[in-house]
Amino acid sequence: MSKFEVRLFQDDAAIVAIGEGLLARTLPREAWTHEAHLAACTWIVRDRPDITPEVDMAGIISTYNVAVGGVNDDSQGYHETITQVYIAAVKAHLAEVEKDLPLWQSVNALLLSERGGRGLPLKFYSKERLFSVAARRNFVEPDLLELEKI
């Protein structure tokens, strides 16, 4: 797997702007990075009790993808299993960090941890299972390690 330099956040406002841009479908497509995914998810889990991530993220991300010219099909766009893995990782991370930690510090700590890594899902899934159409369309159980170990 390629080594990517992690782009960290300097303040809460940058994360809130990503989250609000995602919800409003106005976030520029090039800004929808791995870090932005995890930042938006952390903000939603922590600060948006009106959103149930496990249920609502599919619609949020899918409609955003279409709004910025993307598609959600069998090979690109929204991926249900990967999304659910990272929601679980964000929730596990938030359960372990100080509750009054600024959002940006919490997100940066996540991004620098194993839970925030790009390869996290492959700890739990074989490539064949994770990148299957079934896993993209619906959550599938892991075949390597139980998600409770996240």
Side-chain angles (χ1 to χ4, degrees):
M1 181 165 277
S2 307
K3 186 77 173 159
F4 293 92
E5 187 173 329
V6 177
R7 293 164 288 216
L8 300 176
F9 294 92
Q10 301 302 312
D11 56 43
D12 287 1
I15 295 167
V16 172
I18 288 168
E20 289 177 346
L22 170 65
L23 295 178
R25 297 182 286 296
T26 58
L27 182 70
R29 187 176 189 171
E30 63 274 6
W32 192 225
T33 63
H34 173 73
E35 293 87 354
H37 277 76
L38 292 181
C41 185
T42 303
W43 173 70
I44 287 170
V45 169
R46 193 183 99 153
D47 297 342
R48 292 296 306 264
D50 57 313
I51 297 173
T52 305
E54 296 86 351
V55 175
D56 299 332
M57 288 302 259
I60 291 168
I61 296 173
S62 293
T63 58
Y64 167 78
N65 287 344
V66 172
V68 296
V71 297
N72 302 294
D73 62 19
D74 289 345
S75 63
Q76 58 188 332
Y78 182 74
H79 193 296
E80 176 67 11
T81 301
I82 291 175
T83 299
Q84 294 302 325
V85 168
Y86 281 110
I87 291 169
V90 165
K91 286 187 164 193
H93 172 74
L94 289 173
E96 292 177 0
V97 298
E98 295 176 34
K99 303 296 180 220
D100 60 349
L101 195 65
L103 179 61
W104 69 275
Q105 289 180 359
S106 182
V107 169
N108 287 350
L110 173 63
L111 291 171
L112 293 170
S113 74
E114 183 180 14
R115 286 181 181 137
R118 293 171 187 267
L120 177 70
L122 291 170
K123 179 179 177 181
F124 301 92
Y125 293 87
S126 63
K127 285 184 179 181
E128 297 74 24
R129 187 168 183 96
L130 184 62
F131 297 114
S132 68
V133 173
R136 179 174 290 280
R137 293 293 178 197
N138 299 289
F139 177 75
V140 297
E141 292 293 334
D143 58 344
L144 300 180
L145 187 65
E146 294 177 15
L147 282 179
E148 289 76 30
K149 307 245 189 254
I150 207 158

